[in-house]
Short mmCIF file of all heavy atoms in Angstrom, two decimals:
data_model
loop_
_atom_site.label_atom_id
_atom_site.label_comp_id
_atom_site.label_asym_id
_atom_site.label_seq_id
_atom_site.Cartn_x
_atom_site.Cartn_y
_atom_site.Cartn_z
N MET A 1 0.82 -1.20 0.01
CA MET A 1 0.00 0.00 0.00
C MET A 1 0.88 1.26 0.00
O MET A 1 0.62 2.16 -0.78
CB MET A 1 -0.94 -0.06 1.22
CG MET A 1 -1.84 1.12 1.35
SD MET A 1 -3.03 1.06 0.02
CE MET A 1 -3.99 2.45 0.43
N ILE A 2 1.85 1.29 0.89
CA ILE A 2 2.72 2.47 0.94
C ILE A 2 3.54 2.59 -0.34
O ILE A 2 3.75 3.67 -0.84
CB ILE A 2 3.62 2.39 2.19
CG1 ILE A 2 2.73 2.48 3.40
CG2 ILE A 2 4.70 3.45 2.17
CD1 ILE A 2 3.32 2.86 4.69
N TRP A 3 3.98 1.43 -0.86
CA TRP A 3 4.73 1.43 -2.10
C TRP A 3 3.88 2.00 -3.23
O TRP A 3 4.37 2.75 -4.09
CB TRP A 3 5.22 0.03 -2.39
CG TRP A 3 6.17 -0.08 -3.54
CD1 TRP A 3 5.96 -0.78 -4.67
CD2 TRP A 3 7.44 0.52 -3.68
NE1 TRP A 3 7.04 -0.67 -5.50
CE2 TRP A 3 7.99 0.14 -4.92
CE3 TRP A 3 8.20 1.37 -2.87
CZ2 TRP A 3 9.21 0.55 -5.37
CZ3 TRP A 3 9.45 1.79 -3.34
CH2 TRP A 3 9.93 1.37 -4.57
N SER A 4 2.60 1.68 -3.27
CA SER A 4 1.70 2.22 -4.29
C SER A 4 1.56 3.72 -4.15
O SER A 4 1.53 4.43 -5.16
CB SER A 4 0.33 1.56 -4.19
OG SER A 4 0.40 0.19 -4.48
N LEU A 5 1.50 4.23 -2.94
CA LEU A 5 1.41 5.67 -2.73
C LEU A 5 2.68 6.38 -3.20
O LEU A 5 2.62 7.45 -3.80
CB LEU A 5 1.13 5.99 -1.27
CG LEU A 5 -0.22 5.54 -0.73
CD1 LEU A 5 -0.31 5.81 0.77
CD2 LEU A 5 -1.35 6.24 -1.46
N ILE A 6 3.83 5.77 -2.91
CA ILE A 6 5.09 6.36 -3.35
C ILE A 6 5.17 6.38 -4.88
O ILE A 6 5.54 7.42 -5.47
CB ILE A 6 6.28 5.59 -2.73
CG1 ILE A 6 6.31 5.81 -1.23
CG2 ILE A 6 7.59 6.00 -3.38
CD1 ILE A 6 7.27 4.92 -0.49
N VAL A 7 4.83 5.28 -5.52
CA VAL A 7 4.88 5.22 -6.98
C VAL A 7 3.82 6.18 -7.56
O VAL A 7 4.09 6.87 -8.54
CB VAL A 7 4.65 3.78 -7.48
CG1 VAL A 7 4.52 3.73 -8.98
CG2 VAL A 7 5.81 2.90 -7.03
N GLY A 8 2.65 6.27 -6.94
CA GLY A 8 1.62 7.24 -7.38
C GLY A 8 2.12 8.65 -7.28
O GLY A 8 1.85 9.48 -8.15
N ALA A 9 2.85 8.97 -6.22
CA ALA A 9 3.40 10.33 -6.05
C ALA A 9 4.43 10.63 -7.14
O ALA A 9 4.45 11.72 -7.71
CB ALA A 9 4.03 10.48 -4.67
N ILE A 10 5.25 9.65 -7.44
CA ILE A 10 6.28 9.84 -8.49
C ILE A 10 5.60 10.03 -9.85
O ILE A 10 5.99 10.92 -10.61
CB ILE A 10 7.25 8.64 -8.52
CG1 ILE A 10 8.07 8.64 -7.22
CG2 ILE A 10 8.15 8.70 -9.74
CD1 ILE A 10 8.90 7.38 -7.02
N ILE A 11 4.59 9.24 -10.14
CA ILE A 11 3.85 9.38 -11.39
C ILE A 11 3.16 10.75 -11.43
O ILE A 11 3.17 11.41 -12.46
CB ILE A 11 2.84 8.23 -11.56
CG1 ILE A 11 3.59 6.92 -11.79
CG2 ILE A 11 1.87 8.51 -12.70
CD1 ILE A 11 2.69 5.70 -11.75
N GLY A 12 2.60 11.20 -10.30
CA GLY A 12 1.97 12.51 -10.25
C GLY A 12 2.97 13.65 -10.46
O GLY A 12 2.66 14.62 -11.14
N VAL A 13 4.16 13.52 -9.88
CA VAL A 13 5.19 14.55 -10.07
C VAL A 13 5.62 14.62 -11.53
O VAL A 13 5.77 15.70 -12.10
CB VAL A 13 6.39 14.28 -9.15
CG1 VAL A 13 7.60 15.13 -9.52
CG2 VAL A 13 6.03 14.53 -7.70
N ILE A 14 5.81 13.44 -12.14
CA ILE A 14 6.22 13.40 -13.56
C ILE A 14 5.12 14.02 -14.42
O ILE A 14 5.42 14.83 -15.32
CB ILE A 14 6.52 11.97 -14.00
CG1 ILE A 14 7.78 11.47 -13.29
CG2 ILE A 14 6.68 11.87 -15.51
CD1 ILE A 14 8.04 9.99 -13.48
N SER A 15 3.87 13.68 -14.18
CA SER A 15 2.78 14.25 -15.00
C SER A 15 2.65 15.75 -14.75
O SER A 15 2.34 16.51 -15.67
CB SER A 15 1.47 13.54 -14.70
OG SER A 15 1.02 13.78 -13.40
N GLY A 16 2.86 16.20 -13.51
CA GLY A 16 2.82 17.63 -13.23
C GLY A 16 3.92 18.38 -13.95
O GLY A 16 3.75 19.50 -14.41
N ALA A 17 5.12 17.75 -14.03
CA ALA A 17 6.22 18.38 -14.75
C ALA A 17 5.95 18.45 -16.25
O ALA A 17 6.30 19.42 -16.91
CB ALA A 17 7.52 17.61 -14.48
N ILE A 18 5.33 17.41 -16.78
CA ILE A 18 5.02 17.38 -18.21
C ILE A 18 3.99 18.46 -18.55
O ILE A 18 4.11 19.14 -19.58
CB ILE A 18 4.53 15.99 -18.63
CG1 ILE A 18 5.70 15.00 -18.57
CG2 ILE A 18 3.94 16.01 -20.05
CD1 ILE A 18 5.31 13.56 -18.79
N THR A 19 3.00 18.64 -17.69
CA THR A 19 1.94 19.61 -17.98
C THR A 19 2.21 20.99 -17.40
O THR A 19 1.39 21.88 -17.55
CB THR A 19 0.60 19.11 -17.42
OG1 THR A 19 0.74 18.94 -16.00
CG2 THR A 19 0.16 17.82 -18.06
N ASN A 20 3.34 21.18 -16.74
CA ASN A 20 3.71 22.45 -16.07
C ASN A 20 2.72 22.84 -15.00
O ASN A 20 2.55 24.02 -14.70
CB ASN A 20 3.86 23.58 -17.09
CG ASN A 20 5.06 23.40 -17.98
OD1 ASN A 20 6.09 22.87 -17.55
ND2 ASN A 20 4.94 23.81 -19.23
N LYS A 21 2.05 21.87 -14.38
CA LYS A 21 1.11 22.14 -13.31
C LYS A 21 1.59 21.58 -11.98
O LYS A 21 0.91 21.66 -10.99
CB LYS A 21 -0.27 21.51 -13.60
CG LYS A 21 -0.88 21.98 -14.90
CD LYS A 21 -1.32 23.40 -14.78
CE LYS A 21 -2.01 23.83 -16.08
NZ LYS A 21 -2.17 25.24 -16.15
N GLY A 22 2.79 21.02 -11.96
CA GLY A 22 3.29 20.34 -10.77
C GLY A 22 3.53 21.27 -9.58
O GLY A 22 3.36 20.86 -8.45
N LYS A 23 3.93 22.51 -9.85
CA LYS A 23 4.21 23.42 -8.75
C LYS A 23 2.95 23.93 -8.08
O LYS A 23 2.94 24.27 -6.91
CB LYS A 23 5.07 24.57 -9.23
CG LYS A 23 6.43 24.11 -9.64
CD LYS A 23 7.33 25.23 -10.03
CE LYS A 23 8.64 24.59 -10.43
NZ LYS A 23 9.60 25.50 -10.87
N SER A 24 1.86 23.97 -8.81
CA SER A 24 0.61 24.44 -8.23
C SER A 24 -0.14 23.34 -7.48
O SER A 24 -1.06 23.63 -6.74
CB SER A 24 -0.29 25.01 -9.34
OG SER A 24 -0.66 24.00 -10.24
N MET A 25 0.31 22.10 -7.66
CA MET A 25 -0.33 20.97 -6.99
C MET A 25 0.48 20.61 -5.76
O MET A 25 1.68 20.68 -5.77
CB MET A 25 -0.41 19.75 -7.92
CG MET A 25 -1.30 19.96 -9.11
SD MET A 25 -1.25 18.65 -10.36
CE MET A 25 -0.83 17.20 -9.53
N GLY A 26 -0.20 20.20 -4.72
CA GLY A 26 0.49 19.73 -3.53
C GLY A 26 0.82 18.25 -3.65
O GLY A 26 0.52 17.58 -4.63
N TRP A 27 1.44 17.70 -2.56
CA TRP A 27 1.82 16.29 -2.60
C TRP A 27 0.60 15.38 -2.64
O TRP A 27 0.60 14.38 -3.33
CB TRP A 27 2.69 15.94 -1.38
CG TRP A 27 4.11 16.36 -1.60
CD1 TRP A 27 4.72 17.48 -1.12
CD2 TRP A 27 5.07 15.70 -2.42
NE1 TRP A 27 5.99 17.54 -1.58
CE2 TRP A 27 6.24 16.44 -2.38
CE3 TRP A 27 5.04 14.53 -3.17
CZ2 TRP A 27 7.37 16.06 -3.06
CZ3 TRP A 27 6.18 14.16 -3.85
CH2 TRP A 27 7.33 14.91 -3.79
N ILE A 28 -0.45 15.76 -1.92
CA ILE A 28 -1.66 14.92 -1.91
C ILE A 28 -2.27 14.89 -3.30
O ILE A 28 -2.68 13.84 -3.79
CB ILE A 28 -2.67 15.46 -0.87
CG1 ILE A 28 -2.02 15.55 0.45
CG2 ILE A 28 -3.96 14.69 -0.92
CD1 ILE A 28 -2.51 14.69 1.54
N ALA A 29 -2.30 16.05 -3.96
CA ALA A 29 -2.86 16.11 -5.31
C ALA A 29 -1.99 15.32 -6.27
O ALA A 29 -2.49 14.67 -7.19
CB ALA A 29 -2.98 17.54 -5.77
N ASN A 30 -0.66 15.35 -6.08
CA ASN A 30 0.22 14.56 -6.94
C ASN A 30 -0.04 13.06 -6.75
O ASN A 30 -0.06 12.31 -7.72
CB ASN A 30 1.68 14.86 -6.62
CG ASN A 30 2.18 16.11 -7.29
OD1 ASN A 30 1.67 16.50 -8.33
ND2 ASN A 30 3.15 16.74 -6.71
N ILE A 31 -0.20 12.63 -5.51
CA ILE A 31 -0.48 11.21 -5.25
C ILE A 31 -1.81 10.81 -5.87
O ILE A 31 -1.91 9.79 -6.54
CB ILE A 31 -0.45 10.93 -3.75
CG1 ILE A 31 0.96 11.08 -3.20
CG2 ILE A 31 -0.98 9.52 -3.46
CD1 ILE A 31 1.04 11.02 -1.69
N LEU A 32 -2.83 11.65 -5.69
CA LEU A 32 -4.14 11.33 -6.27
C LEU A 32 -4.08 11.32 -7.78
O LEU A 32 -4.68 10.43 -8.42
CB LEU A 32 -5.19 12.33 -5.77
CG LEU A 32 -5.61 12.18 -4.32
CD1 LEU A 32 -6.55 13.32 -3.93
CD2 LEU A 32 -6.23 10.84 -4.05
N ALA A 33 -3.38 12.28 -8.37
CA ALA A 33 -3.26 12.31 -9.84
C ALA A 33 -2.53 11.08 -10.33
O ALA A 33 -2.91 10.50 -11.36
CB ALA A 33 -2.53 13.57 -10.29
N GLY A 34 -1.53 10.64 -9.60
CA GLY A 34 -0.79 9.45 -10.00
C GLY A 34 -1.62 8.20 -9.91
O GLY A 34 -1.61 7.33 -10.80
N LEU A 35 -2.35 8.04 -8.80
CA LEU A 35 -3.19 6.86 -8.61
C LEU A 35 -4.36 6.81 -9.58
O LEU A 35 -4.63 5.79 -10.21
CB LEU A 35 -3.66 6.76 -7.17
CG LEU A 35 -2.56 6.52 -6.13
CD1 LEU A 35 -3.15 6.57 -4.73
CD2 LEU A 35 -1.87 5.20 -6.36
N VAL A 36 -5.06 7.94 -9.72
CA VAL A 36 -6.19 7.98 -10.64
C VAL A 36 -5.70 7.88 -12.07
O VAL A 36 -6.29 7.18 -12.90
CB VAL A 36 -7.03 9.28 -10.43
CG1 VAL A 36 -8.08 9.44 -11.48
CG2 VAL A 36 -7.66 9.27 -9.04
N GLY A 37 -4.58 8.55 -12.34
CA GLY A 37 -4.00 8.48 -13.71
C GLY A 37 -3.54 7.06 -14.06
O GLY A 37 -3.65 6.65 -15.20
N SER A 38 -3.04 6.36 -13.08
CA SER A 38 -2.65 4.97 -13.31
C SER A 38 -3.86 4.12 -13.69
O SER A 38 -3.80 3.34 -14.63
CB SER A 38 -1.99 4.41 -12.06
OG SER A 38 -1.68 3.06 -12.24
N PHE A 39 -4.95 4.32 -12.99
CA PHE A 39 -6.16 3.59 -13.30
C PHE A 39 -6.67 3.95 -14.70
O PHE A 39 -7.00 3.08 -15.51
CB PHE A 39 -7.24 3.90 -12.24
CG PHE A 39 -8.56 3.29 -12.56
CD1 PHE A 39 -8.78 1.93 -12.37
CD2 PHE A 39 -9.60 4.06 -13.05
CE1 PHE A 39 -10.01 1.35 -12.65
CE2 PHE A 39 -10.83 3.51 -13.34
CZ PHE A 39 -11.03 2.14 -13.15
N VAL A 40 -6.71 5.25 -14.99
CA VAL A 40 -7.21 5.71 -16.28
C VAL A 40 -6.31 5.23 -17.42
O VAL A 40 -6.78 4.73 -18.45
CB VAL A 40 -7.34 7.25 -16.31
CG1 VAL A 40 -7.61 7.79 -17.72
CG2 VAL A 40 -8.42 7.71 -15.38
N GLY A 41 -4.99 5.39 -17.23
CA GLY A 41 -4.06 4.99 -18.27
C GLY A 41 -4.11 3.51 -18.56
O GLY A 41 -4.06 3.09 -19.74
N GLN A 42 -4.18 2.69 -17.54
CA GLN A 42 -4.24 1.26 -17.77
C GLN A 42 -5.59 0.83 -18.32
O GLN A 42 -5.64 -0.17 -19.05
CB GLN A 42 -3.92 0.51 -16.46
CG GLN A 42 -2.45 0.65 -16.08
CD GLN A 42 -2.09 -0.13 -14.84
OE1 GLN A 42 -2.49 -1.29 -14.70
NE2 GLN A 42 -1.32 0.49 -13.95
N ALA A 43 -6.63 1.54 -17.99
CA ALA A 43 -7.94 1.24 -18.58
C ALA A 43 -7.95 1.57 -20.07
O ALA A 43 -8.55 0.81 -20.87
CB ALA A 43 -9.05 2.01 -17.84
N LEU A 44 -7.30 2.65 -20.45
CA LEU A 44 -7.29 3.06 -21.85
C LEU A 44 -6.25 2.34 -22.68
O LEU A 44 -6.51 1.97 -23.83
CB LEU A 44 -7.06 4.58 -21.95
CG LEU A 44 -8.15 5.49 -21.41
CD1 LEU A 44 -7.70 6.94 -21.50
CD2 LEU A 44 -9.44 5.30 -22.20
N LEU A 45 -5.07 2.15 -22.11
CA LEU A 45 -3.94 1.65 -22.89
C LEU A 45 -3.49 0.23 -22.55
O LEU A 45 -2.62 -0.31 -23.20
CB LEU A 45 -2.74 2.60 -22.71
CG LEU A 45 -2.97 4.05 -23.09
CD1 LEU A 45 -1.80 4.91 -22.72
CD2 LEU A 45 -3.26 4.16 -24.58
N GLY A 46 -4.03 -0.33 -21.48
CA GLY A 46 -3.61 -1.66 -21.07
C GLY A 46 -2.43 -1.59 -20.11
O GLY A 46 -2.02 -0.51 -19.69
N SER A 47 -1.87 -2.73 -19.79
CA SER A 47 -0.78 -2.76 -18.80
C SER A 47 0.51 -3.26 -19.42
O SER A 47 1.10 -4.21 -18.96
CB SER A 47 -1.19 -3.61 -17.62
OG SER A 47 -1.47 -4.92 -18.05
N TRP A 48 0.94 -2.62 -20.49
CA TRP A 48 2.18 -2.98 -21.16
C TRP A 48 3.33 -2.13 -20.61
O TRP A 48 3.14 -1.14 -19.95
CB TRP A 48 2.04 -2.80 -22.66
CG TRP A 48 1.57 -1.45 -23.06
CD1 TRP A 48 0.29 -1.05 -23.18
CD2 TRP A 48 2.39 -0.32 -23.36
NE1 TRP A 48 0.24 0.28 -23.55
CE2 TRP A 48 1.50 0.76 -23.66
CE3 TRP A 48 3.73 -0.10 -23.41
CZ2 TRP A 48 1.96 2.01 -24.00
CZ3 TRP A 48 4.19 1.18 -23.76
CH2 TRP A 48 3.30 2.21 -24.05
N GLY A 49 4.52 -2.53 -20.88
CA GLY A 49 5.70 -1.78 -20.47
C GLY A 49 6.15 -2.15 -19.07
O GLY A 49 5.60 -3.06 -18.44
N PRO A 50 7.16 -1.47 -18.57
CA PRO A 50 7.66 -1.77 -17.23
C PRO A 50 6.60 -1.51 -16.17
O PRO A 50 5.79 -0.59 -16.30
CB PRO A 50 8.86 -0.86 -17.07
CG PRO A 50 8.73 0.21 -18.11
CD PRO A 50 7.90 -0.38 -19.21
N SER A 51 6.63 -2.32 -15.14
CA SER A 51 5.63 -2.23 -14.07
C SER A 51 6.33 -2.06 -12.73
O SER A 51 7.36 -2.67 -12.47
CB SER A 51 4.78 -3.50 -14.08
OG SER A 51 3.80 -3.43 -13.11
N LEU A 52 5.74 -1.25 -11.86
CA LEU A 52 6.26 -1.04 -10.52
C LEU A 52 5.09 -0.91 -9.60
O LEU A 52 4.17 -0.11 -9.83
CB LEU A 52 7.11 0.24 -10.52
CG LEU A 52 8.01 0.50 -9.33
CD1 LEU A 52 9.02 -0.63 -9.19
CD2 LEU A 52 8.76 1.81 -9.53
N ALA A 53 5.07 -1.70 -8.53
CA ALA A 53 3.97 -1.72 -7.53
C ALA A 53 2.63 -2.01 -8.19
O ALA A 53 1.62 -1.46 -7.80
CB ALA A 53 3.93 -0.40 -6.77
N GLY A 54 2.65 -2.86 -9.21
CA GLY A 54 1.40 -3.23 -9.86
C GLY A 54 0.87 -2.19 -10.84
O GLY A 54 -0.25 -2.32 -11.35
N MET A 55 1.66 -1.16 -11.13
CA MET A 55 1.25 -0.11 -12.06
C MET A 55 2.18 -0.13 -13.26
O MET A 55 3.39 -0.04 -13.09
CB MET A 55 1.31 1.25 -11.39
CG MET A 55 0.38 1.47 -10.25
SD MET A 55 0.53 3.13 -9.60
CE MET A 55 0.71 2.76 -7.87
N ALA A 56 1.60 -0.23 -14.44
CA ALA A 56 2.40 -0.12 -15.67
C ALA A 56 2.80 1.35 -15.82
O ALA A 56 1.94 2.23 -15.85
CB ALA A 56 1.61 -0.60 -16.88
N LEU A 57 4.09 1.62 -15.86
CA LEU A 57 4.56 3.00 -15.76
C LEU A 57 4.17 3.90 -16.92
O LEU A 57 3.68 5.02 -16.71
CB LEU A 57 6.09 3.01 -15.55
CG LEU A 57 6.56 2.39 -14.26
CD1 LEU A 57 8.06 2.41 -14.18
CD2 LEU A 57 5.94 3.09 -13.06
N ILE A 58 4.36 3.45 -18.14
CA ILE A 58 4.09 4.33 -19.27
C ILE A 58 2.61 4.63 -19.43
O ILE A 58 2.22 5.82 -19.53
CB ILE A 58 4.70 3.72 -20.58
CG1 ILE A 58 6.22 3.67 -20.43
CG2 ILE A 58 4.30 4.52 -21.81
CD1 ILE A 58 6.92 2.90 -21.51
N PRO A 59 1.70 3.65 -19.41
CA PRO A 59 0.28 3.99 -19.43
C PRO A 59 -0.15 4.83 -18.23
O PRO A 59 -1.01 5.69 -18.35
CB PRO A 59 -0.43 2.63 -19.45
CG PRO A 59 0.57 1.67 -19.95
CD PRO A 59 1.89 2.20 -19.50
N SER A 60 0.46 4.59 -17.08
CA SER A 60 0.11 5.36 -15.86
C SER A 60 0.49 6.82 -16.02
O SER A 60 -0.27 7.71 -15.63
CB SER A 60 0.79 4.76 -14.64
OG SER A 60 0.33 3.47 -14.40
N ILE A 61 1.66 7.09 -16.57
CA ILE A 61 2.09 8.48 -16.77
C ILE A 61 1.19 9.16 -17.78
O ILE A 61 0.78 10.31 -17.58
CB ILE A 61 3.57 8.52 -17.17
CG1 ILE A 61 4.45 8.08 -15.98
CG2 ILE A 61 3.96 9.93 -17.63
CD1 ILE A 61 5.91 7.87 -16.34
N VAL A 62 0.88 8.46 -18.88
CA VAL A 62 -0.02 9.06 -19.88
C VAL A 62 -1.39 9.33 -19.27
O VAL A 62 -1.96 10.42 -19.47
CB VAL A 62 -0.14 8.11 -21.11
CG1 VAL A 62 -1.21 8.60 -22.06
CG2 VAL A 62 1.20 7.99 -21.82
N GLY A 63 -1.90 8.40 -18.49
CA GLY A 63 -3.20 8.62 -17.82
C GLY A 63 -3.14 9.74 -16.84
O GLY A 63 -4.09 10.54 -16.73
N ALA A 64 -2.06 9.89 -16.09
CA ALA A 64 -1.93 10.97 -15.12
C ALA A 64 -1.83 12.32 -15.83
O ALA A 64 -2.39 13.31 -15.34
CB ALA A 64 -0.72 10.76 -14.23
N VAL A 65 -1.17 12.38 -16.96
CA VAL A 65 -1.11 13.62 -17.74
C VAL A 65 -2.52 14.01 -18.19
O VAL A 65 -2.91 15.17 -18.11
CB VAL A 65 -0.16 13.48 -18.95
CG1 VAL A 65 -0.33 14.62 -19.94
CG2 VAL A 65 1.28 13.40 -18.45
N ILE A 66 -3.30 13.02 -18.63
CA ILE A 66 -4.68 13.29 -19.04
C ILE A 66 -5.50 13.79 -17.85
O ILE A 66 -6.21 14.79 -17.97
CB ILE A 66 -5.31 12.01 -19.64
CG1 ILE A 66 -4.65 11.65 -20.96
CG2 ILE A 66 -6.82 12.17 -19.82
CD1 ILE A 66 -5.02 10.28 -21.50
N VAL A 67 -5.35 13.16 -16.69
CA VAL A 67 -6.11 13.57 -15.50
C VAL A 67 -5.73 14.97 -15.08
O VAL A 67 -6.60 15.81 -14.82
CB VAL A 67 -5.89 12.55 -14.35
CG1 VAL A 67 -6.42 13.10 -13.04
CG2 VAL A 67 -6.56 11.24 -14.68
N VAL A 68 -4.43 15.27 -15.03
CA VAL A 68 -3.99 16.61 -14.63
C VAL A 68 -4.46 17.66 -15.61
O VAL A 68 -4.94 18.74 -15.21
CB VAL A 68 -2.45 16.64 -14.48
CG1 VAL A 68 -1.94 18.08 -14.35
CG2 VAL A 68 -2.00 15.82 -13.29
N ALA A 69 -4.39 17.38 -16.90
CA ALA A 69 -4.85 18.34 -17.92
C ALA A 69 -6.35 18.61 -17.82
O ALA A 69 -6.79 19.76 -17.88
CB ALA A 69 -4.48 17.85 -19.32
N VAL A 70 -7.12 17.55 -17.65
CA VAL A 70 -8.58 17.72 -17.54
C VAL A 70 -8.96 18.46 -16.26
O VAL A 70 -9.78 19.41 -16.31
CB VAL A 70 -9.30 16.35 -17.62
CG1 VAL A 70 -10.75 16.45 -17.23
CG2 VAL A 70 -9.14 15.75 -18.99
N VAL A 71 -8.37 18.09 -15.16
CA VAL A 71 -8.70 18.75 -13.88
C VAL A 71 -8.28 20.22 -13.92
O VAL A 71 -9.03 21.11 -13.52
CB VAL A 71 -8.04 18.03 -12.70
CG1 VAL A 71 -8.13 18.84 -11.42
CG2 VAL A 71 -8.72 16.67 -12.50
N SER A 72 -7.08 20.52 -14.44
CA SER A 72 -6.66 21.92 -14.49
C SER A 72 -7.49 22.73 -15.45
O SER A 72 -7.72 23.92 -15.23
CB SER A 72 -5.17 22.01 -14.84
OG SER A 72 -4.92 21.49 -16.13
N PHE A 73 -7.97 22.09 -16.52
CA PHE A 73 -8.85 22.79 -17.45
C PHE A 73 -10.15 23.21 -16.75
O PHE A 73 -10.57 24.36 -16.87
CB PHE A 73 -9.17 21.90 -18.65
CG PHE A 73 -10.18 22.46 -19.60
CD1 PHE A 73 -9.83 23.46 -20.47
CD2 PHE A 73 -11.48 22.01 -19.60
CE1 PHE A 73 -10.76 24.01 -21.36
CE2 PHE A 73 -12.44 22.53 -20.48
CZ PHE A 73 -12.07 23.55 -21.35
N PHE A 74 -10.77 22.27 -16.03
CA PHE A 74 -12.03 22.59 -15.38
C PHE A 74 -11.85 23.53 -14.19
O PHE A 74 -12.68 24.39 -13.95
CB PHE A 74 -12.77 21.32 -14.94
CG PHE A 74 -13.43 20.62 -16.10
CD1 PHE A 74 -12.98 19.37 -16.51
CD2 PHE A 74 -14.47 21.21 -16.78
CE1 PHE A 74 -13.57 18.73 -17.59
CE2 PHE A 74 -15.07 20.58 -17.85
CZ PHE A 74 -14.63 19.32 -18.26
N LEU A 75 -10.75 23.40 -13.46
CA LEU A 75 -10.51 24.32 -12.35
C LEU A 75 -10.16 25.72 -12.87
O LEU A 75 -10.52 26.71 -12.25
CB LEU A 75 -9.39 23.80 -11.45
CG LEU A 75 -9.74 22.60 -10.60
CD1 LEU A 75 -8.54 22.17 -9.78
CD2 LEU A 75 -10.93 22.88 -9.70
N GLY A 76 -9.49 25.77 -14.00
CA GLY A 76 -9.18 27.07 -14.62
C GLY A 76 -10.44 27.76 -15.09
O GLY A 76 -10.59 28.99 -14.98
N ARG A 77 -11.40 27.03 -15.61
CA ARG A 77 -12.67 27.61 -16.07
C ARG A 77 -13.53 28.04 -14.88
O ARG A 77 -14.24 29.01 -14.97
CB ARG A 77 -13.45 26.61 -16.90
CG ARG A 77 -12.73 26.32 -18.23
CD ARG A 77 -13.62 25.59 -19.11
NE ARG A 77 -14.55 26.56 -19.67
CZ ARG A 77 -15.37 26.30 -20.68
NH1 ARG A 77 -15.36 25.10 -21.21
NH2 ARG A 77 -16.18 27.20 -21.16
N ALA A 78 -13.42 27.31 -13.77
CA ALA A 78 -14.23 27.63 -12.58
C ALA A 78 -13.71 28.92 -11.93
O ALA A 78 -14.48 29.66 -11.32
CB ALA A 78 -14.18 26.49 -11.59
N ASN A 79 -12.43 29.22 -12.06
CA ASN A 79 -11.85 30.42 -11.47
C ASN A 79 -12.09 31.66 -12.30
O ASN A 79 -11.88 32.78 -11.83
CB ASN A 79 -10.35 30.24 -11.22
CG ASN A 79 -10.07 29.23 -10.12
OD1 ASN A 79 -10.88 29.03 -9.24
ND2 ASN A 79 -8.92 28.60 -10.20
N ASN A 80 -12.50 31.51 -13.54
CA ASN A 80 -12.74 32.69 -14.40
C ASN A 80 -14.12 33.20 -14.26
O ASN A 80 -15.07 32.75 -13.91
CB ASN A 80 -12.44 32.34 -15.86
CG ASN A 80 -10.96 32.17 -16.10
OD1 ASN A 80 -10.17 32.75 -15.37
ND2 ASN A 80 -10.62 31.38 -17.08
#
């Protein structure tokens, strides 16, 4: 469980860096983005590639980028 949270945080940090939203997100948001992104990415792309803590890394990162982009889009619209 703790290993999954650590890997989720790393995936969230990577996706935040890719989308340039990582500095505005906290650690909890990074972990959630990584875990939810892992689920979304593996649901869309399957579980191919290297795996760590039961999460396929490449689909998880792609899914986390999608999650971060969608959430920041809707939060950006809500603030306007």
Side-chain angles (χ1 to χ4, degrees):
M1 180 68 178
I2 294 199
W3 189 241
S4 295
L5 294 175
I6 292 170
V7 173
I10 293 169
I11 291 170
V13 167
I14 292 171
S15 67
I18 291 172
T19 60
N20 291 326
K21 302 290 183 194
K23 294 185 181 177
S24 64
M25 294 172 28
W27 280 101
I28 305 245
N30 279 333
I31 292 171
L32 288 175
L35 293 175
V36 172
S38 176
F39 175 76
V40 170
Q42 290 183 44
L44 293 175
L45 302 173
S47 59
W48 53 273
S51 181
L52 195 60
M55 295 181 230
L57 295 178
I58 296 170
S60 296
I61 292 171
V62 172
V65 167
I66 292 170
V67 168
V68 168
V70 168
V71 168
S72 64
F73 174 76
F74 284 114
L75 289 179
R77 293 192 78 170
N79 290 333
N80 289 333

